[in-house]
Amino acid sequence: MKPSAFAYARPRALEEAFALLEKHGDNAKLLAGGQSLVASLNMRLAAPGILVDIGALAGLEGIALKGKTLVIGARTTHRAIERSEIVARHAPLLAQAAPHIAHVAIRNAGTLGGSLALADPAAEWPACCVALEATIVLASKKGERRIAAAEFFRDLYTTALGAGELITAVEIPCAAPEERHAFVELARRRGDYAIVGLAARARVRNAVLAGLRLVFLGVGVTPVLASGAMAALEGRTADDAALRAAQAALDRDLAPSADLYTSAQAKRHMAGVLVARAAAALAG
Ligand SMILES: Cc1cc2nc3c(=O)[nH]c(=O)nc-3n(C[C@H](O)[C@H](O)[C@H](O)COP(=O)(O)OP(=O)(O)OC[C@H]3O[C@@H](n4cnc5c(N)ncnc54)[C@H](O)[C@@H]3O)c2cc1C
């Protein structure tokens, strides 16, 4: 299929983009890497009257360290994040997760902001941002506002983005010296969307885990914070008893739905496997 006809604009300044969003309202769609949007245009799942390409807007791209915060521009590609030494040092969770996103060709074009705005429940970046307690920076004609990643993802493919707003950047607190990160996922094939994935973070001293953040993808409509499993592992090593307690707690934390290929029961089992793998990786 081919997309229905649309107009195209490539603003050079944020103000110009805001004016286009205001003028066209719901009839306008932002275009970043196009790796999700173009497919949905071609399938006519979306039929906007105008695409507002953010590719020429200055200041939306790049990775920078500002004090103890890592700031990643919304238009930064998955591949740039994957290859960044600053990211590997200060937010290793992102470096570990990036290779799981699709294939290199898609990672070369797809962007952090596009992934967060899309809010696919099986995407890696939303879960990582919640695990890292990132802040998402939004801008509109009215100015800038910041929102915690945990508050940003509202429902299936639904975020806190308001009319006329776009994501400009993501702010991530740099990992503390004792902090360790682990990203694990299970997919049918390398490059496919995950069936279940887990973004994990903890402070580790003498193999004892503290301050855990365990955030699942693929088992709910948004990233899911597994608070029961986090409590079960808090202050413990990843020994068998602690792992069994954490796995049991997932019954309360998660309520996965079956999809075309995987039953809810299988997803629940996979989540238990991933908790054990992530905890061992954090403590090891
Ligand atoms: C075969 C295939 C496999 C894939 N596998 C995975 C995978 O395993 N994991 C994964 O996470 N993703 C996967 N993707 C999706 C890919 O990562 C996309 O690049 C990403 O989800 C969207 O980013 P984009 O820059 O291409 O956004 P676009 O496709 O351009 O836009 C996506 C949506 O976000 C909006 N948007 C874009 N930028 C902004 C912004 N700055 N502010 C507000 N709204 C914005 C657009 O209006 C649109 O609604 C896959 C894609 C394909 C084609």
Side-chain angles (χ1 to χ4, degrees):
M1 275 172 79
K2 290 198 165 69
S4 52
F6 55 82
Y8 173 83
R10 192 171 163 89
R12 302 253 152 209
L14 270 176
E15 293 65 34
E16 211 186 316
F18 297 148
L20 285 162
L21 293 178
E22 187 175 42
K23 180 174 173 198
H24 296 281
D26 285 349
N27 206 26
K29 205 86 174 117
L30 294 168
L31 172 69
Q35 296 304 297
S36 299
L37 183 57
V38 171
S40 61
L41 294 179
N42 287 341
M43 289 186 277
R44 301 207 177 190
L45 296 171
I50 179 166
L51 288 190
V52 179
D53 185 343
I54 62 170
L57 294 180
L60 290 192
E61 205 168 352
I63 300 168
L65 204 54
K66 293 197 177 151
K68 291 187 174 172
T69 304
L70 188 64
V71 182
I72 306 182
R75 217 179 54 227
T76 308
T77 63
H78 308 322
R79 189 71 168 152
I81 295 170
E82 181 178 359
R83 299 176 80 142
S84 162
E85 281 178 22
I86 306 178
V87 169
R89 191 169 328 130
H90 298 290
L93 185 67
L94 300 181
Q96 288 185 43
H100 292 277
I101 302 175
H103 304 281
V104 172
I106 292 163
R107 296 203 292 277
N108 278 333
T111 67
L112 176 62
S115 172
L116 297 178
L118 185 68
D120 189 304
E124 285 78 6
W125 290 151
C128 288
C129 285
V130 175
L132 293 172
E133 296 175 275
T135 299
I136 298 176
V137 186
L138 308 176
S140 71
K141 205 181 150 197
K142 291 185 208 147
E144 208 173 67
R145 71 181 175 112
R146 286 172 162 70
I147 182 163
E151 308 295 316
F152 182 73
F153 303 101
R154 296 279 164 90
D155 205 338
L156 191 63
Y157 296 108
T158 307
T159 69
L161 265 167
E165 271 186 326
L166 54 81
I167 302 173
T168 56
V170 176
E171 298 172 341
I172 298 166
C174 289
E178 287 178 340
E179 201 171 306
R180 290 201 194 157
H181 296 178
F183 186 89
V184 285
E185 78 170 42
L186 292 163
R188 285 164 71 82
R189 295 170 305 187
R190 187 84 183 177
D192 282 4
Y193 268 106
I195 303 170
V196 183
L198 175 58
R201 168 186 160 213
R203 293 191 308 278
V204 186
R205 191 182 285 176
N206 299 326
V208 174
L209 305 172
L212 275 120
R213 296 277 291 178
L214 298 174
V215 182
F216 279 94
L217 52 122
V219 291
V221 291
T222 61
V224 180
L225 190 71
S227 44
M230 282 155 47
L233 288 167
E234 186 68 30
R236 301 178 72 172
T237 61
D239 58 78
D240 285 350
L243 290 180
R244 274 198 302 277
Q247 288 173 324
L250 293 179
D251 281 335
R252 296 186 297 281
D253 290 335
L254 310 178
S257 304
D259 59 33
L260 230 45
Y261 305 105
T262 314
S263 68
Q265 197 185 7
K267 288 187 187 178
R268 166 64 188 82
H269 176 76
M270 289 171 163
V273 171
L274 292 183
V275 158
R277 287 185 187 172
L282 290 173

